[in-house]
Amino acid sequence: MSKSHYISYLGTKALRSSHPGVRKIKRAQQAHSAHGNKVWRSSFVLMDYLNTYPPKSGSKVLDIGCGWGLSAIFMAKTFQAQVTGIDIDETVAPYLSLQAAENNCEISFENRSFESFKTPELAQYNYLIGADICFWDEMTQPLLNLINRASDAGVRNILIADPGRPPFWALADLCSSRFGGEVVTRRLEEPWRTEKYILVIC
C-alpha cells in the first residue's frame, strides 16, 4: 500500500480518505450521521500521551465515540490491549474494521450510546478513552453521568482528548470538582503541529 494513503505515527497507520478501502466504503454508504467520518487529530495527541504513560499490557479499554478508532487501535497494537469501541453511528464500523486490519489487530465494535452503559458493565474496564467527542453542549451531562458510573465501577483511568471546545471545558470543570480530574496540554510537531487538551482522571 502506498504511503500516500496513510499517515504513520508511533508505529500505527491512520488511513487517509484517499485509501482505496476507504473510498470503497464511502461509495457504498450514505452520509454519516454523527461526525465519525474521519480520523480526528485529538486521537494523535491521545496516542502521544499514552506513549508517555503506557497502560499495562492486556488492559481492557472502552473507547467511547470511537469513530475510526485510531487511539484504540494504537492501544491494541502497541500494548496488546483488549479494546471495545462504541459509537452511535453504525456506519463507522467498516472503517474501524479496515483500519484495524491495516494495523494487524482486532477491535470489538458495538453500536450503542454512552447512556446504555450501566455501572456493573463498566467494572470490567481498566481504561475509558475518547477523542473529539465533546462537540455538542448536550453531550456534557451524558458524559459526566458516564464518568460518574465508571468511577463508581472502579475504572481508574479516564482520558478524554479535545481541541478545547466549550462543552469540553464545562465537562472538565465538573470533573475537576467531583473526581479530582485535571486537564493537561499536549503539543505535537508531527504528523501536524497541533495543540490539544486531555482531561485526565486517574
Side-chain angles (χ1 to χ4, degrees):
M1 182 60 61
S2 170
K3 290 185 178 181
S4 65
H5 294 314
Y6 64 85
I7 299 164
S8 182
Y9 185 63
L10 296 176
T12 303
K13 295 178 182 178
L15 305 187
R16 296 180 183 270
S17 59
S18 63
H19 186 283
V22 171
R23 294 171 65 186
K24 181 178 180 180
I25 295 169
K26 286 190 174 183
R27 285 196 299 269
Q29 289 188 348
Q30 299 300 316
H32 295 267
S33 60
H35 305 292
N37 59 351
K38 64 179 181 180
V39 171
W40 295 90
R41 294 190 181 188
S42 293
S43 297
F44 293 93
V45 175
L46 188 53
M47 290 165 62
D48 181 68
Y49 180 89
L50 288 162
N51 192 55
T52 303
Y53 303 101
K56 291 182 179 179
S57 179
S59 292
K60 297 197 72 173
V61 179
L62 180 64
D63 184 1
I64 58 174
C66 65
W68 293 17
L70 183 62
S71 304
I73 288 167
F74 170 71
M75 294 185 79
K77 183 175 183 178
T78 308
F79 306 112
Q80 295 73 56
Q82 301 175 54
V83 185
T84 298
I86 68 162
D87 204 296
I88 60 169
D89 185 353
E90 64 182 359
T91 66
V92 306
Y95 295 100
L96 176 64
S97 179
L98 173 64
Q99 188 148 264
E102 288 284 345
N103 283 283
N104 300 308
C105 65
E106 294 184 5
I107 305 292
S108 298
F109 176 75
E110 296 180 18
N111 176 213
R112 57 190 295 190
S113 67
F114 305 151
E115 295 90 338
S116 68
F117 277 86
K118 306 304 181 185
T119 302
E121 188 176 7
L122 291 165
Q124 65 182 298
Y125 295 104
N126 307 111
Y127 278 79
L128 187 152
I129 67 170
D132 271 297
I133 56 174
C134 300
F135 44 83
W136 290 328
D137 291 338
E138 293 81 4
M139 300 183 76
T140 301
Q141 191 61 49
L143 279 168
L144 179 65
N145 293 342
L146 175 65
I147 291 170
N148 188 63
R149 294 194 298 275
S151 179
D152 287 346
V155 180
R156 294 292 173 248
N157 301 277
I158 300 173
L159 306 170
I160 309 294
D162 195 84
R165 301 180 183 92
F168 170 79
W169 290 115
L171 179 66
D173 287 344
L174 292 166
C175 288
S176 175
S177 59
R178 294 194 186 190
F179 312 111
E182 65 174 339
V183 174
V184 299
T185 303
R186 204 76 178 180
R187 298 179 180 87
L188 298 182
E189 295 298 322
E190 57 177 1
W192 302 280
R193 180 175 292 181
T194 188
E195 178 178 288
K196 309 292 184 190
Y197 306 95
I198 304 174
L199 171 62
V200 178
I201 303 172
C202 296

